[in-house]
């Protein structure tokens, strides 16, 4: 979880930003489909980015630094665990 909800400065219309580090892109798609039912029934919008360990090498460094700064880990390793040392500059 990252973004305004993680920071605690979300507004009623804020989306819930989730960054997933997954084994395959299919796993992120399954999460998106599962959360879609919650969106419809509860007026919540999820913004989900799914990356594999390999694809993290190609993400926007500024975006990933923000994810690491804001992160509230729900399950698994914290985003900083996957952080390239070059991102820590």
């Amino acid at each position: 979880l990252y973004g305004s909800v993680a920071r605690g400065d979300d507004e009623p219309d804020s989306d819930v930003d989730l960054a997933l580090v997954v084994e395959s892109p299919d796993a992120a798609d399954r999460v998106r489909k599962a959360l879609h039912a919650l969106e419809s029934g509860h007026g919540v919008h999820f913004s989900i980015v799914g990356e594999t360990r390999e694809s993290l090498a190609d993400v926007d460094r500024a975006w990933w630094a923000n994810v690491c700064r804001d992160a509230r880990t729900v399950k698994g390793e914290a985003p900083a665990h996957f952080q390239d040392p070059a991102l820590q500059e």
Side-chain angles (χ1 to χ4, degrees), residues 35-44:
L35 292 178
H36 182 71
L38 288 176
E39 289 180 323
S40 302
H42 300 293
V44 175

Side-chain angles (χ1 to χ4, degrees), residues 1-25:
L1 177 69
Y2 70 100
S4 63
V5 173
R7 289 189 307 270
D9 59 12
D10 54 305
E11 301 288 330
D13 62 343
S14 295
D15 60 349
V16 177
D17 298 303
L18 298 173
L20 308 174
V21 179
V22 294
E23 294 296 319
S24 72

Side-chain angles (χ1 to χ4, degrees), residues 44-62:
V44 175
H45 177 71
F46 292 93
S47 176
I48 301 169
V49 177
E51 298 290 344
T52 63
R53 290 175 185 259
E54 295 78 21
S55 69
L56 283 174
D58 298 324
V59 299
D60 178 87
R61 290 175 178 233

